[in-house]
Amino acid sequence: MGLLGFYLRRLFTIFKGEVLVLPSRIVVLIFFLSLLLLPIVTQDPYLLRILILTNIFAILAASWDLLSGFTGQMNFGHALFFGVGAYTTALLNLHAHIPSWGSIPLGALAAVLAGLIVGIPSLRLKHTYLALTTLAFPIILLGIVFAIPDVTGGEMGLSGLSRLSRSRVIDYYVTTILMLGLCTIMWKITDSNTGIIFHAIREDEVAVRTGGINTTRYKLLAFCLSGFFAGISGGLYAHFMRIAGPSTLEVSMSFQVVIWAVFGGIVTIYGPVGAVFLLVPLLEFFRFWPEVRTLMFAVVILLILLYMPQGLLPWIRDKVEKECPRCKIRNIATRNTCRICAAPLD
């Protein structure tokens, strides 16, 4: 009991000193608790369905930010990873009868292979040329899907996959826990030495290479990691919707991911996640006005991008917090001195 009490007191001290000192961390804590406790309040099937899809797309959007946001490798064909994960999962489930807990990781590994296939020829390309090249890959795969309908189902896709579970609530918890866990892992990757190198490649690749770092290896690593997480989201989508079709590879899917990331704030991981949790339910809400649904959605996005070019969530964070000019630690905006080094805050 004494040892348990020691660790509980230590946990409370860390919680009090690291979480409760910043509004952004309190919001993240409330976000985690809200998602985990929601089924206690309501188990409405429609609401849970929207949130399950939101969880899946949040993983996809964060995986794009991990690649394009942090390394600057502008990928306009992210639907490739999502589609490869979905189709591989569907084929393994339908033909090899592998359950979802096995088919989804294997689908993610197939997306990693797709990341290598895309990454290797794209290493020497930059900016517009890289964006157009990556955009071509899902279109090529879509052509292959239509060329072998006996295997891929052609325009109808593959249907009849086994469910994630027999309960909508369990589906919700599976996708929620995976979303929270995988996005936390992606955030930790960007906060590690690997993430710092990713960020440095984005800022000045020549300088990084001059420092003796193999940038080719790290860019390929970024493609593979991004493909892995996007492949998991594709596999989850296939099992939840019980179908893997051409829509998972469409160009609109790739651009939707970019919109989510830019709207929420790139180079953050949490920005794309927050954007998906705002925009997907908002798009469902606009179904009440089907004639102007797309127009209203586009106006909201344009207003945010016009007045908050760094993204919605970084804009809000900068309003309630400020960074210490000396030690770079963030403080609540009402403080006059830094909570760590006591330097005056502007």
Side-chain angles (χ1 to χ4, degrees), residues 66 70 184-200 218 221 225:
L66 180 64
F70 279 86
T184 302
I185 290 172
M186 281 187 265
W187 179 76
K188 291 299 290 182
I189 290 173
T190 60
D191 200 38
S192 66
N193 290 336
T194 301
I196 293 172
I197 294 173
F198 284 171
H199 208 154
Y218 278 96
L221 177 63
L225 287 173

Side-chain angles (χ1 to χ4, degrees), residues 31 47 92 100 169 213 266 328:
F31 175 69
L47 178 62
L92 290 171
S100 58
V169 175
I213 295 174
I266 60 174
K328 304 301 179 186

Side-chain angles (χ1 to χ4, degrees), residues 27 48 50 55 94 127 136 148 162 196 207 226 229 271 291 300 333 338:
V27 169
L48 292 182
I50 298 300
N55 286 329
L94 291 174
H127 310 306
I148 48 174
S162 63
I196 293 172
S226 180
F229 293 115
E291 300 84 4
V300 171
C338 177

Side-chain angles (χ1 to χ4, degrees), residues 235-261:
L236 287 171
Y237 180 85
H239 272 289
F240 177 67
M241 300 298 290
R242 304 188 68 195
I243 186 170
S247 63
T248 59
L249 290 164
E250 288 179 348
V251 174
S252 59
M253 174 64 79
S254 294
F255 283 117
Q256 205 166 22
V257 176
V258 179
I259 291 171
W260 287 329

Side-chain angles (χ1 to χ4, degrees), residues 132-250:
L132 291 176
T133 302
T134 53
L135 180 62
F137 281 96
I139 298 174
I140 293 171
L141 185 57
L142 199 58
I144 296 173
V145 166
F146 290 143
I148 48 174
D150 293 339
V151 177
T152 62
E155 295 182 358
M156 301 300 293
L158 299 169
S159 59
L161 279 74
S162 63
R163 300 179 186 277
L164 275 177
S165 72
R166 295 182 179 180
S167 165
R168 182 63 59 87
V169 175
I170 295 177
D171 286 351
Y172 171 79
Y173 272 117
V174 168
T175 56
T176 298
I177 292 171
L178 278 175
M179 186 277 293
L180 294 176
L182 294 177
C183 290
T184 302
I185 290 172
M186 281 187 265
W187 179 76
K188 291 299 290 182
I189 290 173
T190 60
D191 200 38
S192 66
N193 290 336
T194 301
I196 293 172
I197 294 173
F198 284 171
H199 208 154
I201 290 173
R202 170 194 172 91
E203 297 299 323
D204 193 339
E205 185 178 345
V206 176
V208 176
R209 199 181 303 136
T210 306
I213 295 174
N214 188 336
T215 57
T216 300
R217 183 187 303 169
Y218 278 96
K219 286 195 290 186
L220 275 178
L221 177 63
F223 269 103
C224 293
L225 287 173
S226 180
F228 178 78
F229 293 115
I232 288 180
S233 67
L236 287 171
Y237 180 85
H239 272 289
F240 177 67
M241 300 298 290
R242 304 188 68 195
I243 186 170
S247 63
T248 59
L249 290 164
E250 288 179 348

